[in-house]
Amino acid sequence: VEQPGSVGFSNDGRLFLTQGPLPLVRIWDRATSKALVSIDCPCGRGTRLTFSNDAKKAALAGLDHSISLMSLRHPAALQRLGQHEDLVFDMVFSVDDRWLASAAKDGRVIMWDVEGARPAWQAQGDWQFTVAMTSDGGRVVHGDFHGRLHVRD
């Protein structure tokens, strides 16, 4: 693997994603250590990669502050959700993969409707470094630059 900038495992541990210094995203089979998919991401080098819970999609956050979804069935057809105004530090899918929450340096946490490819809601504050979600997607907690945690129902 070239110098990874971002990595992510599927929940079952069979697959992992890498993106190095180039905008090349690869999906690897852990058992064989072979790249199954290699695509150029228009978002530039990635800042965060994460698999959906069913491992059918991956979310990619790029240096251009965009968030895109990649279907593992059709990896070259990236679906752009939208973008933050600064670097995305963290992303998490809901257990049912209907929602994707992103936290960024622009101070926003955005809850994305994955199927509709649009923001469902957003919260504004200082730099948001981390985000987590309950299994039903009903509650989100995010942490900011000052070490404060914020819970949203």
Side-chain angles (χ1 to χ4, degrees):
V1 175
E2 66 279 343
Q3 179 185 35
S6 189
V7 297
F9 258 114
S10 62
N11 283 345
D12 62 10
R14 292 184 310 119
L15 303 172
F16 63 98
L17 290 159
T18 61
Q19 188 170 24
L22 302 173
L24 184 67
V25 176
R26 290 190 176 150
I27 300 172
W28 301 82
D29 181 298
R30 191 182 64 81
T32 65
S33 298
K34 292 188 178 180
L36 303 174
V37 174
S38 295
I39 64 160
D40 284 322
C41 184
C43 62
R45 183 175 176 164
T47 60
R48 185 75 170 105
L49 304 170
T50 191
F51 273 104
S52 61
N53 291 293
D54 63 9
K56 292 181 180 177
K57 297 182 208 73
L60 316 169
L63 282 178
D64 67 352
H65 316 148
S66 70
I67 296 177
S68 297
L69 290 178
M70 177 176 66
S71 162
L72 273 58
R73 181 170 279 176
H74 305 288
L78 292 176
Q79 176 187 22
R80 188 178 172 110
L81 286 181
Q83 72 184 63
H84 281 269
E85 294 171 8
D86 213 326
L87 295 177
V88 176
F89 291 126
D90 200 10
M91 295 184 297
V92 64
F93 279 96
S94 63
V95 171
D96 62 7
D97 295 322
R98 289 184 55 219
W99 309 102
L100 175 73
S102 60
K105 187 177 177 181
D106 64 6
R108 294 185 300 158
V109 171
I110 301 176
M111 180 70 81
W112 302 92
D113 173 350
V114 171
E115 189 174 314
R118 64 181 178 276
W121 59 260
Q122 60 182 299
Q124 182 70 45
D126 291 325
W127 290 12
Q128 302 297 313
F129 283 110
T130 190
V131 62
M133 192 180 322
T134 57
S135 62
D136 65 358
R139 183 168 289 157
V140 174
V141 61
H142 49 97
D144 68 23
F145 175 76
H146 300 288
R148 296 178 296 222
L149 292 175
H150 309 271
V151 179
R152 181 178 172 108
D153 293 319

